[in-house]
Amino acid sequence: MTNILQFPGGEKRTKRPARVDPVLAEIIDALVHFRGQAHRDAVCHHIASSRAGDARRAPAPLKQEIYGAFRAHESLVGASPRARSLLYLPFGPDSHRWALTEDGLQLFGARLRAASASW
């Protein structure tokens, strides 16, 4: 028998780290490479090249995976009032140009400045 009383709800709650879709992280890396915005196909080709280690064009299945990750991020942000959007379509919903939002620029601005300084 133990001398310790445990009251309900007294357990320590640990905050789970947010899970980031790895494809979303690749999209953000590509947008940082392109100084904050680029056509979605350029983003796809950059990701394909990064994965392969040499210059190449993104095949259709990879493009669909990347487009899906972008749409999933938009849906997640639209469904949750607490979620912060990192990406957006600067020329409207029918646009194929992707960009980092102000929040995205604040979070990754240092990397963006570092990438620009190396040019």
Side-chain angles (χ1 to χ4, degrees):
M1 190 162 162
T2 179
N3 293 348
I4 299 173
L5 294 176
Q6 185 160 356
F7 295 100
E11 305 89 23
K12 268 191 170 179
R13 293 184 185 174
T14 58
K15 188 174 183 179
R16 288 185 294 169
R19 292 187 181 162
V20 176
D21 180 351
V23 179
L24 183 63
E26 289 178 301
I27 292 170
I28 291 168
D29 284 340
L31 288 172
V32 167
H33 172 79
F34 290 117
R35 298 183 181 182
Q37 62 177 297
H39 189 279
R40 69 182 189 177
D41 287 341
V43 170
C44 292
H45 299 321
H46 180 80
I47 291 171
S49 297
S50 294
R51 287 183 179 184
D54 62 1
R56 64 179 55 197
R57 298 184 65 77
L62 178 59
K63 283 184 177 182
Q64 292 309 312
E65 178 185 1
I66 295 167
Y67 298 164
F70 186 92
R71 285 190 302 271
H73 176 70
E74 284 185 314
S75 295
L76 177 72
V77 169
S80 171
R82 294 180 60 207
R84 291 171 58 182
S85 179
L86 300 175
L87 310 170
Y88 78 111
L89 300 166
F91 298 129
D94 296 329
S95 165
H96 292 176
R97 188 157 197 83
W98 293 351
L100 294 171
T101 62
E102 287 300 317
D103 284 341
L105 287 169
Q106 286 179 0
L107 285 171
F108 305 105
R111 289 181 52 209
L112 188 64
R113 285 187 294 278
S116 297
S118 67
W119 292 12

